[in-house]
Amino acid sequence: MALIEELDKQGIFLFRWRSYIPGFILLLSLYSLKDYQFLNGSYETNLFYAAACFFVSLSGLFVRCFVIGYAPARTSGRNTKEQIADMVNREGIYSLVRHPLYLGNFLLYLGPVLYLRDLPLLLVFALFFGFYYERIMFTEEKFLREKFGREYLDWADNVPAFIPKLKGYVKPQLSFSIKNVLKREYPSLFGIVVIFVLFDFGASFVNNFILWTAPWEAITEPQIWVFGIGAGFYIITRLVVKTTRWLQVEGR
């Protein structure tokens, strides 16, 4: 098999599983917590650092929300079985970078990795992310090039793939839809919450292991509040999405 076909085959496989594999890898990184030490030996100090890492992930979610809020129907979706695109989206953040959703994903996953303060793990994450998403982007761009031809090539010639350019922003014709964001991104927010709560629980358990008589004693009040609010938001939004049409937006 020629290399271009092999890369495309790998990209198709990874595209179908792109929502699950990075999260699974993050869960495996829980192993790094076995030697984790609180900053300055203080849970409170470490909590501030955790909040900073959490905001790194939220910045990635913000990028994703910015994309989804302006996205027309049948673009920038969560489809996994096949590539879908009715147009080359060249407005909004797509006028600055060709793969803004994956840029958002990078920041989203970077937050928990930074929390672990493990340089080798950070390097492995960067290499894995590059290998993983490079193939997905290759497959997506091959599809777009074959479908849209010169229209796609003209856009790609002027817009970088992953690191945004700083000028040339084109205002979207569509208005921003918070409903579209809520409908499509509420699982991402809850995913961030779950990962950080798990990491914080693991760190608390490891740092105070000799003091615990039972694992649940490592549960802290911040964990309860963050998880409770996140879970409540997830459940309510999911019920709205699944049982009503309140978040349906025509043309989105």
Side-chain angles (χ1 to χ4, degrees):
M1 182 182 295
L3 181 58
I4 189 170
E5 281 78 17
E6 180 64 29
L7 290 175
D8 188 39
K9 181 180 178 181
Q10 293 175 13
I12 291 172
F13 173 80
L14 295 174
F15 175 83
R16 291 174 177 171
W17 295 95
R18 70 192 189 281
S19 298
Y20 304 101
I21 294 178
F24 178 70
I25 298 300
L26 275 181
L27 289 176
L28 290 179
S29 66
L30 281 169
Y31 179 76
S32 296
L33 286 172
K34 64 182 178 64
D35 299 316
Y36 192 85
Q37 297 293 319
F38 288 148
L39 281 175
N40 298 326
S42 166
Y43 177 73
E44 289 72 20
T45 302
N46 205 75
L47 202 59
F48 283 106
Y49 177 72
C53 296
F54 186 74
F55 278 105
V56 171
S57 290
L58 287 183
S59 70
L61 182 62
F62 174 81
V63 172
R64 289 186 57 86
C65 290
F66 190 81
V67 175
I68 299 302
Y70 288 110
R74 294 175 62 83
T75 63
S76 305
R78 288 181 174 269
N79 47 295
T80 57
K81 294 183 178 180
E82 61 181 354
Q83 302 280 350
I84 296 176
D86 287 347
M87 59 178 289
V88 177
N89 191 350
R90 293 179 288 184
E91 300 174 345
I93 197 169
Y94 282 99
S95 61
L96 303 178
V97 60
R98 299 204 302 272
H99 297 279
L101 287 176
Y102 300 149
L103 172 62
N105 286 353
F106 176 77
L107 295 171
L108 191 149
Y109 299 135
L110 180 62
V113 175
L114 289 175
Y115 174 84
L116 295 171
R117 305 200 314 274
D118 186 331
L119 182 58
L121 178 64
L122 178 61
L123 295 176
V124 169
F125 162 74
L127 290 172
F128 169 79
F129 189 94
F131 172 86
Y132 184 78
Y133 278 100
E134 178 194 41
R135 279 150 178 76
I136 294 176
M137 289 188 284
F138 174 86
T139 297
E140 289 185 350
E141 296 206 359
K142 180 175 179 291
F143 166 78
L144 293 171
R145 179 173 180 168
E146 291 174 352
K147 183 170 184 177
F148 298 104
R150 175 50 57 184
E151 180 185 2
Y152 166 76
L153 291 175
D154 289 343
W155 170 66
D157 284 343
N158 295 288
V159 178
F162 189 74
I163 300 177
K165 62 180 182 178
L166 301 179
K167 59 181 180 179
Y169 180 78
V170 178
K171 184 178 179 180
Q173 295 184 23
L174 291 174
S175 61
F176 186 83
S177 172
I178 187 64
K179 289 184 177 181
N180 208 37
V181 170
L182 288 172
K183 180 178 66 177
R184 293 168 62 173
E185 287 304 305
Y186 72 96
S188 298
L189 176 59
F190 187 55
I192 297 172
V193 167
V194 170
I195 288 293
F196 272 95
V197 169
L198 279 176
F199 279 24
D200 192 70
F201 171 80
S204 180
F205 182 81
V206 168
N207 277 262
N208 298 284
F209 179 76
I210 60 174
L211 302 178
W212 306 132
T213 58
W216 52 82
E217 293 183 19
I219 298 174
T220 65
E221 186 174 344
Q223 294 166 17
I224 295 173
W225 276 103
V226 171
F227 183 80
I229 293 172
F233 177 79
Y234 175 84
I235 292 170
I236 292 171
T237 307
R238 186 166 183 82
L239 285 173
V240 170
V241 169
K242 296 297 183 180
T243 62
T244 75
R245 295 184 58 83
W246 291 350
L247 298 181
Q248 296 296 320
V249 182
E250 186 176 355
R252 302 296 184 95

